[in-house]
Amino acid sequence: NSYSKIEQFLHFCALGNDYSKEIFFNLERLIYPCSQREDAIYITGLARSGTTTLLNSIYKCEDFASLTYNDMPFVMGPNLWKNLTNFSLKNNRFMERSHKDNIYIDFQSPEAFEEVFWKIQCGKKYILKNFLKLHLVTKKTVDSLIKYQSLICHKYDKKRYLAKNNNLIMRIESLSKQVNDTKFLIMFRNPRDHAFSLMKQHLNF
């Protein structure tokens, strides 16, 4: 509701089809250097397991680059988008997110926008009509992922990458075997508390 009609149109152009997202990614790789990142940390787990809280806690140390709300909607072209929005005068204010779970965000808050990359690369492998499924990650996709992470690190002038992605649980087995410089933090929550939180959000949305 906070987006203007122009902002909604930009979101549609940037995220409405895979073709435009691939164009931005290819332009990024042509224009900006993909310097090798030092290492990466992935936070994953089922929804409502505490992944966002852990993400925010680690991100506060300021050692890591991560996609933020400021990168929306052109998350596949973070450096290009940065140059286009340097003149933006939009007020940056904290507000409670729509989950109503006492987690407050602003444009600099990290979020799980990397899933856009995975949808482009292998969406047909795991996005079915009624559910998502486990899938294997190829070396070609891993190579593109590392380049993508390096572009994000370049934008934020960091050497280490951080991401939260609950859907990573579906691809962690094959991905973890191919990225030796990546640590995976898998969140677990007391089942009764977890179920109660899921029901609360189901009623909320």
Side-chain angles (χ1 to χ4, degrees), residues 185-196:
L185 306 180
I186 305 175
M187 299 293 288
F188 293 90
R189 188 174 181 179
N190 178 286
R192 184 168 57 183
D193 295 336
H194 200 161
F196 177 77

Side-chain angles (χ1 to χ4, degrees), residues 154-170:
H154 177 76
K155 174 186 175 178
Y156 290 100
D157 194 25
K158 303 290 184 182
K159 292 292 186 180
R160 309 178 72 190
Y161 180 77
L162 172 68
K164 181 204 82 167
N165 192 332
N166 293 346
N167 284 346
L168 192 75
I169 205 76
M170 298 181 298

Side-chain angles (χ1 to χ4, degrees), residues 38 45 60 95 126 165 204:
E38 290 181 356
K60 285 179 181 177
M95 58 186 297
Y126 72 94
N165 192 332
N204 178 38

Side-chain angles (χ1 to χ4, degrees), residues 15-202:
L15 301 174
N17 62 83
D18 289 344
Y19 184 67
S20 62
K21 286 177 278 191
E22 287 190 69
I23 288 177
F24 271 93
F25 185 38
N26 290 332
L27 281 174
E28 283 268 312
R29 287 188 288 186
L30 284 173
I31 298 173
Y32 297 97
C34 290
S35 56
Q36 189 72 24
R37 55 163 178 66
E38 290 181 356
D39 61 2
I41 291 180
Y42 265 112
I43 302 169
T44 189
L46 298 179
R48 308 308 300 167
S49 63
T51 53
T52 299
T53 299
L54 181 59
L55 171 70
N56 290 336
S57 297
I58 296 177
Y59 189 70
K60 285 179 181 177
C61 77
E62 299 183 352
D63 286 340
F64 296 90
S66 185
L67 288 170
T68 69
Y69 285 91
N70 202 38
D71 293 307
M72 286 290 284
F74 296 98
V75 293
M76 295 307 299
N79 292 283
L80 291 169
W81 183 233
K82 176 185 178 181
N83 291 328
L84 290 172
T85 56
N86 279 336
F87 59 87
S88 176
L89 299 177
K90 177 178 282 189
N91 292 328
N92 183 39
R93 65 186 187 279
F94 273 99
M95 58 186 297
E96 188 176 21
R97 64 179 189 165
S98 55
H99 299 70
K100 299 178 182 178
D101 55 2
N102 204 34
I103 293 179
Y104 286 78
I105 57 174
D106 64 1
F107 292 120
Q108 274 70 53
S109 299
E111 191 43 270
F113 298 130
E114 190 198 77
E115 186 62 17
V116 175
F117 167 87
W118 291 104
K119 288 181 179 178
I120 295 173
Q121 294 292 321
C122 42
K124 294 180 180 179
K125 292 182 179 180
Y126 72 94
I127 302 175
L128 303 184
K129 184 177 180 180
N130 296 316
F131 64 94
L132 306 178
K133 72 171 187 176
L134 300 176
H135 63 102
L136 300 177
V137 179
T138 64
K139 183 182 183 301
K140 181 180 178 181
T141 299
V142 172
D143 290 341
S144 293
L145 174 66
I146 292 174
K147 290 178 181 177
Y148 182 50
Q149 293 175 352
S150 296
L151 287 167
I152 297 169
C153 287
H154 177 76
K155 174 186 175 178
Y156 290 100
D157 194 25
K158 303 290 184 182
K159 292 292 186 180
R160 309 178 72 190
Y161 180 77
L162 172 68
K164 181 204 82 167
N165 192 332
N166 293 346
N167 284 346
L168 192 75
I169 205 76
M170 298 181 298
R171 59 185 75 103
I172 192 172
E173 184 174 358
S174 59
L175 179 62
S176 61
K177 295 175 181 178
Q178 303 181 66
V179 283
N180 296 325
D181 58 352
T182 300
K183 298 179 179 64
F184 297 89
L185 306 180
I186 305 175
M187 299 293 288
F188 293 90
R189 188 174 181 179
N190 178 286
R192 184 168 57 183
D193 295 336
H194 200 161
F196 177 77
S197 182
L198 286 168
M199 176 57 72
K200 185 177 179 180
Q201 290 306 316
H202 174 68

